[in-house]
Amino acid sequence: PGDRAEAVLEAALARDGVASNFGLCRAAAAPYLAAGRGLPKFLHDRMAGAGGPSFAGRGGDAPRLVALYLDHGRLADACAAAASVLAEPPPTNAPRPEAGNVSFLPVALLDDLQDACDAALESGDRGDLRGAYDAFLAALDARLDACATDVVAAAAERGILA
């Protein structure tokens, strides 16, 4: 799709009732991904929840965006999208991932992403993956550290770690 087509697509997806439909955004993304191209910024941002209309939770559906990139072999893009979500602190009242809150990335999806990246790197398919994967792993480590700190603080607050 050219610049004019992208402008028309962006305007169409911004319409009320359309902007909140991830399925339509996914269909709009298909030609880009099938052609081995990245998504236009407006489409990626809409799907990721970076400003604009909301799909759910934090304003997008990051797990489905990461899975979409993963399904199309866009591992660096999947890593970047996942790292972006992991770098954001969850809302204090957010339910656990098991409750279906899409502002979190399911552990199985994180595992699938790590497995795909490890396999690609082992096979020598590096491209732009190494930097994106390292950033994803750093964001994941930081999130896990933050979770551990929160658990210890909560336990100390309740007198469990006296």
Side-chain angles (χ1 to χ4, degrees):
D3 290 339
R4 172 123 171 82
E6 286 180 10
V8 170
L9 177 61
E10 183 174 11
L13 291 175
R15 294 179 50 201
D16 288 341
V18 173
S20 62
N21 187 322
F22 189 90
L24 291 176
C25 288
R26 183 182 176 108
Y32 293 96
L33 297 172
R37 297 177 53 201
L39 298 180
K41 182 175 177 3
F42 80 87
L43 187 54
H44 169 88
D45 288 351
R46 186 170 311 278
M47 295 171 83
S54 174
F55 294 116
R58 66 183 272 281
D61 194 337
R64 287 200 290 183
L65 178 60
V66 171
L68 181 66
Y69 279 138
L70 188 57
D71 290 346
H72 284 85
R74 306 276 312 175
L75 299 180
D77 290 331
C79 285
S84 175
V85 173
L86 291 168
E88 296 177 9
T92 56
N93 62 346
R96 303 297 309 153
E98 301 82 40
N101 186 323
V102 296
S103 65
F104 292 93
L105 297 171
V107 172
L109 180 60
L110 295 173
D111 288 343
D112 290 347
L113 180 56
Q114 285 184 281
D115 291 345
C117 290
D118 288 341
L121 290 170
E122 286 175 15
S123 73
D125 180 15
R126 292 188 168 63
D128 58 349
L129 179 57
R130 173 49 60 193
Y133 188 45
D134 287 346
F136 160 68
L137 291 175
L140 182 59
D141 285 345
R143 173 56 67 89
L144 292 173
D145 287 346
C147 288
T149 300
D150 290 348
V151 167
V152 169
E157 186 176 293
R158 292 184 176 99
I160 297 171
L161 297 177

